[in-house]
Amino acid sequence: MACCQALVITALVMGIAFHSALVEATIAKSMYFNWGAHHSSILGNGDDLRLVLDQTSGSGIKSKRAFLFGSLEMLIKLVPGNSAGTVTAYYLSSTGTKHDEIDFEFLGNSTGEPYTVHTNIYTQGQGNREQQFRLWFDPTSDYHNYTIHWNPSQVVWYVDSVPIRVFRNYQSEGIAYPNQQGMRVYSSLWNADNWATRGGLVKIDWTSSPFVANYRRFRARACKWNGAVSVGLCALPTPGNWWMSPVYKQLSNGQQGQLKWVRDNYMIYNYCSDFKRFNGQMPPECSKPQF
């Protein structure tokens, strides 16, 4: 009996380790075009991607598998020059009317004007949790790292390893949290000139097209979603599930200092400060500490 129990435990641990394996594959092996493939391309060794928007179409990619918890990162060089009206998106999403979603969206602007980083999170189909930021560098001159770190305690948005936003888990207090659905990784470049730049006042200048966003080195250090069983497996405190380590339950003091610096100097919109929008009935998470 002891022998059989040992075999079962060994098999379980091996299964968890496999379940949580790092996806080291290139963009070509881990993602595919879900629209606009006719004028976009994966280049070089399969780890460089070019998304294109012109008057015929935008373009987008999607991961071949879904994940639940971990760290999803991509290096992105945004559309240069007059990018007004364009949106470059990098996000996680499940499907259905009750979907979960975690967003980075980069709102283009006229030449010389800064990009807006638009973040949002949906839980059970409910969004309206926008926070917006400027960047402290030119995101079109080189590649920068954009990472979504997600575990049962919190979601953190990072730019070049600097946290810019946190959404903590208050599910025990009736606030929905994304921990029951696997999400795939998406990125796209599309025409959003009805809202993206100055609320839609500035339209796309098609004489500047084609618009090109460049990507490289997608990495998913995350738990592979294999259906409902993953809800428990991906949250087990095992060595393979590194995101379950206590160190990732909240930001360190140094990271909290970085977050404060970003929010003090570069945040331009916070839904939790928009009392007029919600007629004073603020979303419940707005009264909770997030970091």
Side-chain angles (χ1 to χ4, degrees):
M1 179 65 72
C3 177
C4 292
Q5 289 177 333
L7 286 172
V8 169
I9 292 170
T10 301
L12 178 60
V13 171
M14 289 179 67
I16 292 168
F18 177 78
H19 193 80
S20 309
L22 167 63
V23 176
E24 283 284 13
T26 62
I27 290 174
K29 291 182 178 178
S30 59
M31 310 192 84
Y32 65 95
F33 290 106
N34 59 332
W35 64 294
H38 65 283
H39 62 183
S40 296
S41 55
I42 295 175
L43 308 168
N45 62 359
D47 220 12
D48 285 85
L49 168 72
R50 185 173 183 265
L51 291 184
V52 176
L53 165 67
D54 60 23
Q55 285 182 285
T56 67
S57 175
S59 51
I61 55 169
K62 175 181 180 179
S63 64
K64 294 178 180 178
R65 64 181 312 136
F67 305 94
L68 180 68
F69 306 141
S71 183
L72 295 308
E73 64 180 272
M74 183 82 85
L75 298 180
I76 306 174
K77 183 163 66 172
L78 297 177
V79 176
N82 184 7
S83 59
T86 71
V87 169
T88 305
Y90 175 63
Y91 63 103
L92 313 180
S93 185
S94 58
T95 57
T97 57
K98 297 290 187 179
H99 79 290
D100 294 336
E101 184 175 327
I102 305 168
D103 297 343
F104 272 113
E105 290 184 300
F106 305 94
L107 313 186
N109 215 330
S110 303
T111 301
E113 296 297 319
Y115 264 83
T116 295
V117 181
H118 178 96
T119 67
N120 202 355
I121 183 167
Y122 288 73
T123 55
Q124 296 294 306
Q126 178 64 45
N128 299 321
R129 298 183 175 102
E130 300 90 349
Q131 293 183 0
Q132 294 183 338
F133 307 83
R134 301 296 193 201
L135 290 167
W136 49 96
F137 53 82
D138 178 0
T140 71
S141 64
D142 203 352
Y143 290 88
H144 291 270
N145 184 296
Y146 302 95
T147 297
I148 295 169
H149 180 84
W150 166 40
N151 65 25
S153 300
Q154 61 183 3
V155 177
V156 186
W157 291 252
Y158 288 95
V159 176
D160 287 340
S161 300
V162 175
I164 67 169
R165 179 178 182 178
V166 179
F167 184 84
R168 292 196 62 80
N169 184 351
Y170 287 102
Q171 190 172 22
S172 63
E173 301 182 41
I175 300 170
Y177 186 81
N179 58 10
Q180 301 292 311
Q181 303 180 56
M183 292 194 270
R184 293 180 187 264
V185 183
Y186 297 80
S187 196
S188 57
L189 175 58
W190 52 289
N191 174 5
D193 70 2
N194 61 325
W195 69 275
T197 305
R198 294 181 59 203
L201 294 177
V202 182
K203 303 300 183 181
I204 287 182
D205 177 6
W206 291 110
T207 64
S208 299
S209 68
F211 303 98
V212 178
N214 290 283
Y215 300 73
R216 62 176 47 153
R217 198 179 179 277
F218 169 65
R219 293 295 181 267
R221 298 172 57 231
C223 195
K224 299 174 183 177
W225 173 257
N226 289 311
V229 66
S230 297
V231 173
L233 288 177
C234 293
L236 286 175
T238 63
N241 290 353
W242 61 270
W243 50 86
M244 295 301 299
S245 169
V247 72
Y248 297 110
K249 285 191 174 181
Q250 67 180 68
L251 299 183
S252 68
N253 289 338
Q255 289 173 322
Q256 290 184 41
Q258 290 177 318
L259 182 74
K260 184 178 186 302
W261 172 76
V262 171
R263 297 174 78 82
D264 287 349
N265 293 283
Y266 296 100
M267 174 178 265
I268 59 173
Y269 177 79
N270 183 359
Y271 75 108
C272 283
S273 301
D274 197 341
F275 296 97
K276 182 177 180 181
R277 173 184 177 185
F278 295 102
N279 296 316
Q281 302 297 311
M282 303 307 292
E285 67 271 11
C286 292
S287 64
K288 305 293 182 183
Q290 294 295 331
F291 43 86

